Amino acid sequence: MLDVRRMQVLRSVIVSGSITAAARNLGYTPSAISQQLSVLEREAGTPLLERVGRGVRPTPAGTLLSSHAETLSTELARAEAALTELKEGRTGRLAIRYFATAGASLVPHAVAAVRREHPGVWLDLKLIEPDDPLPEVEQGRAEVAIVVFPRSTPPSGGIELVHLLDDPYCAVLPRTHRLARKRVLDLAELGDEPWVGIDPLPGACRAILEGACASAGFHPNVVVESEDYQTAQGFIAAGLGVGLVPELGLGTPHPGVVVRRVRNPQPSRGIHAAVAPRVAGSPAVRTLLAAMREAVTAVA
């Protein structure tokens, strides 16, 4: 196989017109250059140079390899530049997975910032719900996932968790409910009420709510299930029950409900960015996380 570095030495000799001049330009001794050329001729199986007076000139085979050496040098320079762009986060792919309320409040601002500051980075965005976005990062299908903690098991594979915000739950009641006049509710006051369930599948959010209710001494009596917060507010406005909704999920509250703070305890979900270790230092990821924190400030 032909050696690219020796081909570049050949090209330097041909362009310089002599082995001595090429050695001076490349910082080698003339004997080292001659040795490199001898090895290249053995690899090529044919003479590449012929002497003319005190200089040399290429054979047809030497001219051919010199031309290809120029092409290879150009492509190698492009490859090195592309690799630098990738390592510095100016190009490449960044797959982001998220759940609905994070997608609405945190992701758009962050995506806009990445596209503005790193236009060469291709963003792969995907809503993962009701499933958990974390396995997408654990299994290598994504670089960043917006996830809820606490949960029973920590992330695997060296994934870094970056805290973005704490998202407290609020009580949502029918506007005509007997407790609607109170500004703050003890969670235990909702223990005998019918509930609109908002997280029907097992997961971190459901575990947070059930844990808070257990701490207040009851298990919620769920009479109707909903998989999204806006529909749940409609059920609550119709008088079917009460519910707990995180602040990020409230959006524009339904006109038929009231939203009240709860205490003793106040359930809250911690929203984190789960970052794959292979991109933890990427400038694009740093931009993404900084913009999410800015979005948190805007919605706070």
Side-chain angles (χ1 to χ4, degrees):
M1 180 180 292
L2 297 174
D3 185 271
V4 174
R5 289 188 178 87
R6 294 189 185 105
M7 290 174 62
Q8 291 172 335
V9 169
L10 171 66
R11 180 170 178 267
S12 179
V13 170
I14 293 173
V15 171
S16 302
S18 72
I19 291 175
T20 301
R24 184 172 56 250
N25 294 336
L26 296 177
Y28 293 114
T29 64
S31 61
I33 295 295
S34 295
Q35 183 179 18
Q36 292 291 317
L37 292 174
S38 295
V39 174
L40 182 61
E41 286 189 333
R42 287 199 298 272
E43 292 175 342
T46 186
L48 301 175
L49 295 170
E50 57 185 13
R51 292 195 174 275
V52 179
R54 294 185 178 181
V56 293
R57 66 183 178 191
T59 66
T63 300
L64 176 68
L65 287 189
S66 178
S67 174
H68 282 286
E70 182 178 5
T71 301
L72 289 172
S73 296
T74 301
E75 291 303 316
L76 284 172
R78 289 176 179 173
E80 289 174 351
L83 182 60
T84 299
E85 292 279 310
L86 179 64
K87 290 191 295 185
E88 294 182 357
R90 295 194 292 270
T91 61
R93 170 183 177 272
L94 187 61
I96 305 166
R97 304 293 183 255
Y98 53 90
F99 56 92
T101 50
S105 56
L106 304 180
V107 174
H109 179 71
V111 166
V114 173
R115 286 186 171 169
R116 181 175 61 252
E117 298 184 26
H118 308 278
V121 175
W122 179 63
L123 296 177
D124 174 8
L125 307 173
K126 188 175 182 180
L127 171 67
I128 304 293
E129 194 165 334
D131 295 329
D132 184 7
L134 182 59
E136 292 284 303
V137 177
E138 291 178 322
Q139 297 168 19
R141 293 189 295 270
E143 283 69 52
V144 179
I146 311 304
V147 297
V148 172
F149 273 80
R151 57 178 68 204
S152 57
T153 56
S156 60
I159 291 172
E160 178 185 358
L161 287 178
V162 179
H163 180 262
L164 298 175
L165 76 155
D166 292 317
D167 188 21
Y169 282 79
C170 299
V172 180
L173 314 171
R175 186 165 291 278
T176 57
H177 194 278
R178 60 183 179 82
L179 296 174
R181 69 183 188 280
K182 301 185 69 172
R183 302 184 65 84
V184 181
L185 302 176
D186 287 324
L187 185 56
E189 294 182 86
L190 303 177
D192 294 329
E193 299 290 330
W195 278 62
V196 174
I198 304 172
D199 294 295
L201 297 179
C205 292
R206 179 171 169 178
I208 290 169
L209 289 182
E210 290 182 347
C213 291
S215 296
F218 70 94
H219 183 82
N221 174 30
V222 176
V223 296
V224 62
E225 298 272 17
S226 173
E227 293 187 357
D228 69 272
Y229 297 128
Q230 292 304 312
T231 302
Q233 289 190 44
F235 287 146
I236 293 170
L240 299 178
V242 302
L244 290 179
V245 175
E247 286 186 353
L248 283 184
L250 286 170
T252 301
H254 191 288
V257 305
V258 295
V259 179
R260 297 292 182 258
R261 187 164 65 87
V262 293
R263 62 187 179 189
N264 299 325
Q266 181 187 44
S268 180
R269 59 182 189 173
I271 297 180
H272 296 69
V275 181
R278 63 183 178 276
V279 297
S282 163
V285 170
R286 290 200 296 268
T287 297
L288 182 82
L289 297 178
M292 285 186 181
R293 293 191 184 99
E294 290 178 2
V296 167
T297 302
V299 301

